[in-house]
């Protein structure tokens, strides 16, 4: 499913359950010690997905450990992203020479819990959601906005090491399945930071998936 929204050069793997045994490296297993079974299972399945993407890029299996801020530490020269939600786990990876920064997110395809939209969306974004909702009422536009912002964050953070709040990105969703994000960080960003991301979205069955990358590719 997620491959439908990925540009050339980005490899992906996904799973809709945790039924296939997904072995962990000892360092990864140690991280999950004492965690709930559900978390261990989704972590392991997502790691298995990540290793499949890396194999497609010609890289051997290796531990994929979290670094600063929880972002996975991908092998040198690789950018990647992981997501999991009920009924879905996925990983994507690409050579940094093909894509400078990327992120993915998956969410249940339903409205955001009451009160969340007011915390994550600007007035402009809320107005746009009302228009989109009138044009295409079957799409959970508020959840899509949330997911797009999370995928942007997952692309932004590994490149900058900086937190980014939901209201520091203005996302423009298009009914054609694309979006752009213009970032307005409240603290001065690193000089080489990208402030414009572009992405794609897909709603399929019970799931929303989004992909964001530095606008203009590598
Ligand atoms: C980090 C965050 C984006 C994760 O999203 P989520 O919907 O809760 O969970 P998902 O399952 O989709 O993603 C979890 C995976 O994201 C990855 N991740 C975690 N922190 C990350 C970071 N700082 N940068 C990049 N990837 C990160 C990890 O791979 C994690 O899975 P793992 O722990 O099994 O390795 C979210 O919890 C968060 O903190 N959001 C607030 C910041 C934000 O989104 N701002 C919006 C700016 S426009």
């Amino acid at each position: 499913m997620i491959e439908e929204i990925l540009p050339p050069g980005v490899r992906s793997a996904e799973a809709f359950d945790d039924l296939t045994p997904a072995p962990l490296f000892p360092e990864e297993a140690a991280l999950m010690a004492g965690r709930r079974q559900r978390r261990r299972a989704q972590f392991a399945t997502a790691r298995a997905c990540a290793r499949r993407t890396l194999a497609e890029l010609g890289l051997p299996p290796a531990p994929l450990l979290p670094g600063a801020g929880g972002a996975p530490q991908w092998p040198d020269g690789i950018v990647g992203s992981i997501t999991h939600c009920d009924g879905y786990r996925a990983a994507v990876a690409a050579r940094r020479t093909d894509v400078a920064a990327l992120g993915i997110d998956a969410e249940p395809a339903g409205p955001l819990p009451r009160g969340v939209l007011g915390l994550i969306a600007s007035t402009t974004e809320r107005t746009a959601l009302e228009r989109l909702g009138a044009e295409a009422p079957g799409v959970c536009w508020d959840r899509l906005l949330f997911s797009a912002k999370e995928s942007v964050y997952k692309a932004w953070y590994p490149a900058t090491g900086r937190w980014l709040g939901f209201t520091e990105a203005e996302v423009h969703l298009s009914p054609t399945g694309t979006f752009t994000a213009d970032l307005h960080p409240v603290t001065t960003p690193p000089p080489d930071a990208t402030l414009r991301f572009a992405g794609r979205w897909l709603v399929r069955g019970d799931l929303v998936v989004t992909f964001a990358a530095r606008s203009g590719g590598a």
Side-chain angles (χ1 to χ4, degrees):
M1 173 173 86
I2 199 166
E3 72 280 0
E4 294 177 36
I5 58 169
L6 301 178
V10 180
R11 307 305 176 120
S12 67
E14 64 191 359
F16 296 86
D17 55 47
D18 298 314
L19 297 179
T20 306
L24 291 176
F25 283 89
E27 305 92 311
E28 295 170 330
L31 275 175
M32 289 295 112
R35 305 295 295 267
R36 285 183 308 163
Q37 160 61 18
R38 182 172 175 276
R39 169 64 174 143
R40 289 204 313 268
Q42 67 173 203
F43 179 92
T45 306
R47 258 51 193 179
C49 290
R51 286 192 250 289
R52 274 161 48 204
T53 65
L54 291 173
E56 284 194 27
L57 293 168
L59 288 150
L64 193 56
L65 300 171
Q73 296 174 287
W74 295 87
D76 284 350
I78 301 294
V79 290
S81 186
I82 287 173
T83 188
H84 19 57
C85 71
D86 278 351
Y88 193 68
R89 291 88 175 83
V92 303
R95 294 196 180 280
R96 198 182 291 278
T97 46
D98 289 333
V99 181
L102 58 73
I104 57 168
D105 185 65
E107 297 286 329
L112 286 173
R114 186 183 295 272
V116 173
L117 186 62
L119 302 175
I120 65 131
S122 68
T123 307
T124 309
E125 288 170 332
R126 286 202 298 274
T127 304
L129 293 193
E130 280 169 24
R131 180 175 45 75
L132 288 163
E135 281 173 25
V139 178
C140 46
W141 293 105
D142 58 345
R143 185 71 74 163
L144 263 179
L145 182 76
F146 179 83
S147 180
K149 290 193 174 200
E150 294 228 306
S151 61
V152 166
Y153 180 71
K154 291 183 192 175
W156 160 267
Y157 184 89
T160 61
R162 299 283 186 89
W163 169 257
L164 189 74
F166 282 96
T167 54
E168 295 174 69
E170 191 79 20
V171 168
H172 309 267
L173 293 165
S174 162
T176 59
T178 60
F179 67 87
T180 57
D182 292 300
L183 309 194
H184 309 286
V186 294
T187 56
T188 307
D192 57 348
T194 301
L195 297 178
R196 182 158 242 253
F197 289 80
R200 294 186 64 192
W201 60 264
L202 179 69
V203 180
R204 177 74 45 81
D206 296 341
L207 294 167
V208 163
V209 286
T210 54
F211 167 84
R214 186 171 121 164
S215 189

